Tab-separated table of all heavy atoms in Angstrom:
chain	number	residue	atom	x	y	z
A	1	LYS	N	17.699	15.348	-13.432
A	1	LYS	CA	17.236	13.942	-13.502
A	1	LYS	C	17.538	13.236	-12.181
A	1	LYS	O	16.692	12.514	-11.632
A	1	LYS	CB	17.960	13.208	-14.632
A	1	LYS	CG	17.570	11.762	-14.757
A	1	LYS	CD	18.314	11.069	-15.891
A	1	LYS	CE	17.894	9.622	-15.922
A	1	LYS	NZ	18.697	8.832	-16.909
A	2	SER	N	18.706	13.502	-11.603
A	2	SER	CA	19.071	12.880	-10.296
A	2	SER	C	18.132	13.360	-9.225
A	2	SER	O	17.686	12.568	-8.398
A	2	SER	CB	20.512	13.255	-9.984
A	2	SER	OG	20.868	12.760	-8.712
A	3	LYS	N	17.801	14.633	-9.213
A	3	LYS	CA	16.891	15.202	-8.249
A	3	LYS	C	15.493	14.587	-8.381
A	3	LYS	O	14.848	14.249	-7.406
A	3	LYS	CB	16.815	16.716	-8.362
A	3	LYS	CG	15.947	17.380	-7.323
A	3	LYS	CD	15.963	18.887	-7.450
A	3	LYS	CE	15.135	19.497	-6.329
A	3	LYS	NZ	15.194	20.976	-6.392
A	4	ALA	N	15.055	14.423	-9.619
A	4	ALA	CA	13.759	13.813	-9.896
A	4	ALA	C	13.732	12.362	-9.377
A	4	ALA	O	12.720	11.935	-8.791
A	4	ALA	CB	13.435	13.865	-11.367
A	5	GLU	N	14.817	11.631	-9.595
A	5	GLU	CA	14.845	10.254	-9.120
A	5	GLU	C	14.826	10.187	-7.582
A	5	GLU	O	14.166	9.315	-7.009
A	5	GLU	CB	16.107	9.554	-9.649
A	5	GLU	CG	16.035	9.298	-11.149
A	5	GLU	CD	17.360	8.829	-11.764
A	5	GLU	OE1	18.405	8.898	-11.034
A	5	GLU	OE2	17.348	8.440	-12.908
A	6	ARG	N	15.523	11.112	-6.926
A	6	ARG	CA	15.468	11.136	-5.449
A	6	ARG	C	14.062	11.513	-4.964
A	6	ARG	O	13.580	10.897	-4.004
A	6	ARG	CB	16.512	12.193	-4.918
A	6	ARG	CG	17.939	11.749	-5.030
A	6	ARG	CD	18.853	12.607	-4.184
A	6	ARG	NE	18.725	14.040	-4.485
A	6	ARG	CZ	19.377	14.712	-5.449
A	6	ARG	NH1	20.205	14.050	-6.212
A	6	ARG	NH2	19.202	15.989	-5.627
A	7	LEU	N	13.441	12.455	-5.599
A	7	LEU	CA	12.056	12.826	-5.216
A	7	LEU	C	11.098	11.660	-5.465
A	7	LEU	O	10.216	11.428	-4.652
A	7	LEU	CB	11.620	14.068	-5.965
A	7	LEU	CG	12.246	15.345	-5.561
A	7	LEU	CD1	11.864	16.489	-6.518
A	7	LEU	CD2	11.870	15.726	-4.165
A	8	GLU	N	11.282	10.960	-6.533
A	8	GLU	CA	10.429	9.794	-6.828
A	8	GLU	C	10.610	8.728	-5.777
A	8	GLU	O	9.657	8.138	-5.289
A	8	GLU	CB	10.772	9.228	-8.210
A	8	GLU	CG	9.819	8.173	-8.664
A	8	GLU	CD	10.125	7.726	-10.106
A	8	GLU	OE1	11.138	8.119	-10.684
A	8	GLU	OE2	9.307	6.950	-10.624
A	9	ALA	N	11.838	8.462	-5.374
A	9	ALA	CA	12.092	7.464	-4.285
A	9	ALA	C	11.476	7.944	-2.956
A	9	ALA	O	10.913	7.138	-2.225
A	9	ALA	CB	13.582	7.274	-4.143
A	10	ALA	N	11.619	9.231	-2.658
A	10	ALA	CA	11.074	9.770	-1.441
A	10	ALA	C	9.549	9.659	-1.462
A	10	ALA	O	8.903	9.308	-0.458
A	10	ALA	CB	11.497	11.219	-1.216
A	11	PHE	N	8.949	9.954	-2.636
A	11	PHE	CA	7.492	9.837	-2.741
A	11	PHE	C	7.013	8.388	-2.569
A	11	PHE	O	6.024	8.156	-1.908
A	11	PHE	CB	7.056	10.385	-4.115
A	11	PHE	CG	5.578	10.378	-4.302
A	11	PHE	CD1	4.775	11.307	-3.634
A	11	PHE	CD2	4.963	9.471	-5.158
A	11	PHE	CE1	3.398	11.298	-3.785
A	11	PHE	CE2	3.610	9.462	-5.349
A	11	PHE	CZ	2.822	10.394	-4.676
A	12	ALA	N	7.769	7.442	-3.121
A	12	ALA	CA	7.392	6.024	-2.984
A	12	ALA	C	7.486	5.628	-1.500
A	12	ALA	O	6.601	4.922	-0.975
A	12	ALA	CB	8.307	5.168	-3.843
A	13	SER	N	8.482	6.144	-0.817
A	13	SER	CA	8.611	5.873	0.625
A	13	SER	C	7.464	6.454	1.391
A	13	SER	O	6.894	5.818	2.290
A	13	SER	CB	9.949	6.435	1.138
A	13	SER	OG	10.075	6.285	2.535
A	14	LEU	N	7.060	7.663	1.051
A	14	LEU	CA	5.891	8.292	1.711
A	14	LEU	C	4.638	7.532	1.427
A	14	LEU	O	3.782	7.367	2.342
A	14	LEU	CB	5.749	9.732	1.251
A	14	LEU	CG	6.772	10.762	1.832
A	14	LEU	CD1	6.605	12.124	1.168
A	14	LEU	CD2	6.569	10.868	3.315
A	15	GLU	N	4.441	7.067	0.207
A	15	GLU	CA	3.258	6.299	-0.108
A	15	GLU	C	3.204	5.009	0.745
A	15	GLU	O	2.134	4.629	1.242
A	15	GLU	CB	3.256	5.880	-1.594
A	15	GLU	CG	2.764	7.013	-2.528
A	15	GLU	CD	2.728	6.533	-3.955
A	15	GLU	OE1	3.639	5.837	-4.422
A	15	GLU	OE2	1.726	6.869	-4.620
A	16	LYS	N	4.346	4.379	0.930
A	16	LYS	CA	4.422	3.170	1.737
A	16	LYS	C	4.072	3.484	3.187
A	16	LYS	O	3.278	2.780	3.820
A	16	LYS	CB	5.802	2.571	1.627
A	16	LYS	CG	5.993	1.258	2.314
A	16	LYS	CD	7.399	0.712	2.123
A	16	LYS	CE	7.581	-0.598	2.859
A	16	LYS	NZ	8.903	-1.146	2.676
A	17	ARG	N	4.604	4.609	3.705
A	17	ARG	CA	4.297	4.979	5.109
A	17	ARG	C	2.832	5.330	5.267
A	17	ARG	O	2.212	4.963	6.272
A	17	ARG	CB	5.198	6.167	5.469
A	17	ARG	CG	6.628	5.784	5.707
A	17	ARG	CD	7.547	6.942	6.007
A	17	ARG	NE	7.085	7.749	7.114
A	17	ARG	CZ	7.518	8.968	7.311
A	17	ARG	NH1	8.416	9.529	6.516
A	17	ARG	NH2	7.087	9.666	8.379
A	18	VAL	N	2.237	5.989	4.259
A	18	VAL	CA	0.819	6.323	4.319
A	18	VAL	C	-0.009	5.064	4.338
A	18	VAL	O	-1.021	4.961	5.057
A	18	VAL	CB	0.415	7.283	3.162
A	18	VAL	CG1	-1.081	7.358	2.984
A	18	VAL	CG2	1.020	8.663	3.365
A	19	GLY	N	0.387	4.111	3.541
A	19	GLY	CA	-0.310	2.807	3.543
A	19	GLY	C	-0.293	2.144	4.889
A	19	GLY	O	-1.321	1.637	5.341
A	20	HIS	N	0.876	2.200	5.545
A	20	HIS	CA	0.976	1.616	6.902
A	20	HIS	C	0.079	2.390	7.883
A	20	HIS	O	-0.575	1.798	8.726
A	20	HIS	CB	2.416	1.607	7.394
A	20	HIS	CG	3.277	0.575	6.769
A	20	HIS	ND1	3.136	-0.761	6.953
A	20	HIS	CD2	4.295	0.713	5.875
A	20	HIS	CE1	4.032	-1.422	6.243
A	20	HIS	NE2	4.749	-0.532	5.584
A	21	LEU	N	0.123	3.722	7.788
A	21	LEU	CA	-0.728	4.540	8.667
A	21	LEU	C	-2.224	4.260	8.474
A	21	LEU	O	-2.978	4.209	9.457
A	21	LEU	CB	-0.408	5.988	8.504
A	21	LEU	CG	0.990	6.445	9.010
A	21	LEU	CD1	1.233	7.885	8.611
A	21	LEU	CD2	1.056	6.306	10.527
A	22	GLU	N	-2.606	4.117	7.203
A	22	GLU	CA	-3.991	3.836	6.948
A	22	GLU	C	-4.425	2.494	7.519
A	22	GLU	O	-5.538	2.360	8.108
A	22	GLU	CB	-4.291	3.862	5.442
A	22	GLU	CG	-4.286	5.270	4.880
A	22	GLU	CD	-4.425	5.315	3.363
A	22	GLU	OE1	-4.196	4.289	2.714
A	22	GLU	OE2	-4.713	6.395	2.861
A	23	ALA	N	-3.532	1.490	7.405
A	23	ALA	CA	-3.818	0.173	7.992
A	23	ALA	C	-3.925	0.249	9.514
A	23	ALA	O	-4.837	-0.343	10.145
A	23	ALA	CB	-2.735	-0.821	7.589
A	24	GLU	N	-3.009	1.012	10.145
A	24	GLU	CA	-3.076	1.203	11.592
A	24	GLU	C	-4.365	1.907	11.971
A	24	GLU	O	-4.977	1.615	13.014
A	24	GLU	CB	-1.846	1.952	12.059
A	24	GLU	CG	-0.559	1.146	12.055
A	24	GLU	CD	0.627	1.943	12.505
A	24	GLU	OE1	0.449	3.047	13.055
A	24	GLU	OE2	1.745	1.435	12.323
A	25	ASN	N	-4.752	2.894	11.167
A	25	ASN	CA	-5.979	3.648	11.441
A	25	ASN	C	-7.209	2.721	11.434
A	25	ASN	O	-8.089	2.843	12.269
A	25	ASN	CB	-6.128	4.769	10.447
A	25	ASN	CG	-7.191	5.767	10.826
A	25	ASN	OD1	-7.506	5.951	11.975
A	25	ASN	ND2	-7.787	6.403	9.813
A	26	VAL	N	-7.235	1.809	10.475
A	26	VAL	CA	-8.337	0.827	10.391
A	26	VAL	C	-8.344	-0.020	11.658
A	26	VAL	O	-9.417	-0.231	12.278
A	26	VAL	CB	-8.220	-0.036	9.140
A	26	VAL	CG1	-9.178	-1.253	9.197
A	26	VAL	CG2	-8.498	0.792	7.913
A	27	MET	N	-7.173	-0.483	12.069
A	27	MET	CA	-7.091	-1.302	13.279
A	27	MET	C	-7.556	-0.517	14.520
A	27	MET	O	-8.241	-1.054	15.377
A	27	MET	CB	-5.697	-1.872	13.470
A	27	MET	CG	-5.315	-2.905	12.450
A	27	MET	SD	-3.745	-3.793	12.703
A	27	MET	CE	-2.634	-2.525	13.201
A	28	LEU	N	-7.114	0.760	14.611
A	28	LEU	CA	-7.503	1.556	15.747
A	28	LEU	C	-9.010	1.794	15.765
A	28	LEU	O	-9.643	1.789	16.863
A	28	LEU	CB	-6.758	2.883	15.731
A	28	LEU	CG	-5.280	2.816	16.119
A	28	LEU	CD1	-4.618	4.158	15.873
A	28	LEU	CD2	-5.154	2.363	17.569
């Protein structure tokens, strides 16, 4: 359960980073 929670938090962080990268890509 602890590992799943850590993976879920890491995935949320990656989703956020991907969102930023997509926004930067649009601007570029």
Side-chain angles (χ1 to χ4, degrees):
K1 182 181 177 187
S2 177
K3 184 176 182 177
E5 289 169 350
R6 286 193 308 273
L7 288 172
E8 188 175 7
F11 183 72
S13 175
L14 284 173
E15 281 183 317
K16 186 177 178 180
R17 287 174 55 197
V18 167
H20 287 291
L21 289 172
E22 287 175 343
E24 288 179 10
N25 192 26
V26 167
M27 290 188 317
L28 287 172

